[in-house]
Amino acid sequence: MDTLAHILGYHEYLRTGEDHVAYLEITGGKPLYGEITVQGSKNAALPILAACILGNGPCLIENCPQIQDVDDTIAILTMLGCSVKKEGRTVTVNAGEMEKTAICGSEAGRIRSSILFLGALLGRMGKAEVPYPGGCAIGSRPIDLHLQALKKLGVYFDTKECGISCVSDPLEDPDACGLQKDRKIQDCRAGILAGTSHLHGGSITLDVPSVGATENSILAAVCADGETLIRHGAMEPEVEELCDFLRARGARISRDEDQNIHICGVKTLSPVRYRLRADRIVAGSYLLAAASCGGCVCVRNLPAGQLDTLFDVLRRMGAEVSTDGVVRAALPLLAVHEVRTAPYPGFPTDLQSPLMAALCTAKGISRIRETVFENRFQTAVQLKKNGSADSGERQPCPNRRNPSASRRFRERSGSARRGSACAGGADSMRAHGTWRI
Ligand code: UD1
């Protein structure tokens, strides 16, 4: 298993608890030395795999991360009738025989990116049936912007409701009900029905630069009739990578000096061989984990140009970091006055949890302000159990258009240093001293 702790010599065991849930148990507490290579980007892989259904002929995607989300996306592609072959990190998709337009089943409900098949299916087939998307519990995560944008391209919608009233069942406890609800919704295939008699270009302005809504708009527009303009679209590197992939297949997409996206629809897209770039979030998690343990680590294949804000924060924390991926730090790290997450090129919300763990090892009080997802401080609850994060203050998000919440952190104990070594996305630490993830 390619985890940082494993490669760099931390004791790490995959165990199964009494509740039959697998967890990692890590005993750390020493500086890290060594090197690690960053895998391909998950957030680029998922929309690009969905984009493979646009056009016929095989698309060969190299450097795919070997993760469940990719497997779930492959299951969706197979369900739609694509022929899919996975050999190591290479996935080949041929949508030549694809004829289905409906996605159902547990894979689709499990990952939020299943919603990207909405735009892709509309672009390919002119209609789509997709379930309400799943995803991590980091906020309300609505899809209104996706639907509004697609309407501008001539798409109409209906919703398919779930007939089972498990949400309001007073006998269920709220947590169990949430899980139950998901399962039943998937079973009875509640979701969105979309169709168009003429998919055409249009002018789209997004209220917030949603990554998913931008990608869905692009996927629907590349083969639509005429020109599309997307104002206030997301600028995340993964959106750019989706555009690069589509351009390599013959799509006509450009950005103007105001970062508006212009798309001129083409009749069809050609086969391609494409290599995914490195995952900036995984890379950033490695840098933070390495810095918060002290020592010297080389993170290979680092997409340095995409991590400027993290480099800035790491340097403010007293770490030395170079664009070739070498990070050196002596403990204790320094606290940072405030880090505010924001859409790209701001500090990535996906690196907020690893940063939080790293700041727990810093000397003094730090503050993090989350502005993208209103419910993304669950890691603080887990770190607090480990004696790391102070409860500090939390300001509720005023509204979803301007979500903002902040937390303060102070140094607590050596256990935080151990925990932060493996804190990249660790959301369920369950023990003191030795960490279980
Ligand atoms: C993507 C990334 C995720 C990352 C996030 C923000 C993938 C697979 N996931 O998620 O890792 O954390 O971008 O960088 O690429 N919003 C609405 N209405 C909508 C859509 C979004 O109000 O229709 C809001 C969300 O609630 C959130 C904000 O917009 O507050 C940003 O969400 P968005 O950029 O859409 O995130 P995702 O595409 O879901």
Side-chain angles (χ1 to χ4, degrees), residues 288 312-319 332-336 355 358-359 362:
L288 281 163
D312 176 54
V313 171
L314 280 167
R315 285 172 186 144
R316 280 155 60 200
M317 291 164 77
L333 295 173
L334 306 172
V336 288
L355 173 69
L359 286 176

Side-chain angles (χ1 to χ4, degrees), residues 34-366:
E35 61 178 60
I36 187 163
T37 303
V38 182
Q39 67 199 50
S41 163
K42 175 196 80 135
N43 285 353
L46 303 183
I48 283 175
L49 285 170
C52 288
I53 71 171
L54 294 165
N56 295 324
C59 289
L60 206 130
I61 315 299
E62 295 173 334
N63 201 26
C64 273
Q66 294 179 301
I67 54 172
Q68 188 65 49
D69 281 12
V70 165
D71 290 343
D72 290 344
T73 306
I74 289 173
I76 293 174
L77 288 163
T78 309
M79 181 191 304
L80 289 171
C82 299
S83 133
V84 189
K85 199 162 71 181
K86 185 181 171 206
E87 289 167 310
R89 295 177 192 273
T90 301
V91 178
T92 309
V93 183
N94 192 334
E97 308 278 297
M98 193 188 118
E99 53 189 28
K100 295 201 180 128
T101 57
I103 293 174
C104 57
S106 54
E107 296 85 3
R110 205 155 53 205
I111 57 168
R112 177 163 173 91
S113 59
S114 60
I115 193 67
L116 295 174
F117 280 89
L118 186 58
L121 275 168
L122 285 161
R124 166 72 189 245
M125 310 291 275
K127 57 182 178 175
E129 186 178 325
V130 299
Y132 291 114
C136 0
I138 56 174
S140 58
R141 306 195 82 168
I143 53 166
D144 54 329
L145 299 173
H146 300 236
L147 306 190
Q148 282 164 22
L150 293 170
K151 274 184 190 165
K152 301 278 184 185
L153 306 183
V155 179
Y156 52 86
F157 293 99
D158 200 354
T159 51
K160 196 170 169 187
E161 297 304 332
C162 173
I164 300 169
S165 59
C166 58
V167 191
S168 55
D169 187 342
L171 299 176
E172 301 266 11
D173 79 61
D175 288 341
C177 185
L179 293 170
Q180 218 37 5
K181 176 187 154 202
D182 283 345
R183 199 172 317 125
K184 288 183 181 173
I185 278 181
Q186 286 154 16
D187 286 347
C188 67
R189 296 171 61 190
I192 304 141
L193 301 175
T196 177
S197 51
H198 176 213
L199 193 65
H200 56 75
S203 178
I204 296 167
T205 303
L206 295 173
D207 282 2
V208 289
S210 155
V211 172
T214 306
E215 291 173 340
N216 245 331
S217 308
I218 293 169
L219 288 166
V222 280
C223 292
D225 191 11
E227 293 186 18
T228 297
L229 168 63
I230 306 172
R231 286 196 193 86
H232 206 206
M235 295 192 290
E236 267 66 5
E238 295 78 17
V239 175
E240 229 19 68
E241 189 160 2
L242 170 65
C243 293
D244 286 345
F245 169 77
L246 291 165
R247 282 187 202 107
R249 300 188 64 195
R252 293 173 60 195
I253 309 172
S254 58
R255 275 206 196 247
D256 64 26
E257 61 279 10
D258 296 323
Q259 297 302 325
N260 298 318
I261 301 170
H262 297 260
I263 300 171
C264 188
V266 294
K267 289 260 176 285
T268 188
L269 299 177
S270 32
V272 78
R273 181 188 195 107
Y274 185 86
R275 185 171 177 80
L276 289 165
R277 294 175 202 140
D279 192 311
R280 67 190 166 109
I281 303 302
V282 171
S285 303
Y286 289 158
L287 291 176
L288 281 163
S292 57
C293 290
C296 178
V297 170
C298 177
V299 181
R300 296 212 175 277
N301 203 18
L302 186 89
Q306 302 173 2
L307 288 167
D308 288 353
T309 48
L310 176 64
F311 275 34
D312 176 54
V313 171
L314 280 167
R315 285 172 186 144
R316 280 155 60 200
M317 291 164 77
E320 281 174 41
V321 55
S322 65
T323 50
D324 55 3
V326 178
V327 57
R328 263 191 204 86
L331 302 181
L333 295 173
L334 306 172
V336 288
H337 173 62
E338 180 168 297
V339 179
R340 185 176 175 276
T341 66
Y344 193 83
F347 189 91
T349 175
D350 288 353
L351 282 177
Q352 188 250 98
S353 298
L355 173 69
M356 184 190 295
L359 286 176
C360 287
T361 73
K363 197 170 171 55
I365 296 176
S366 305

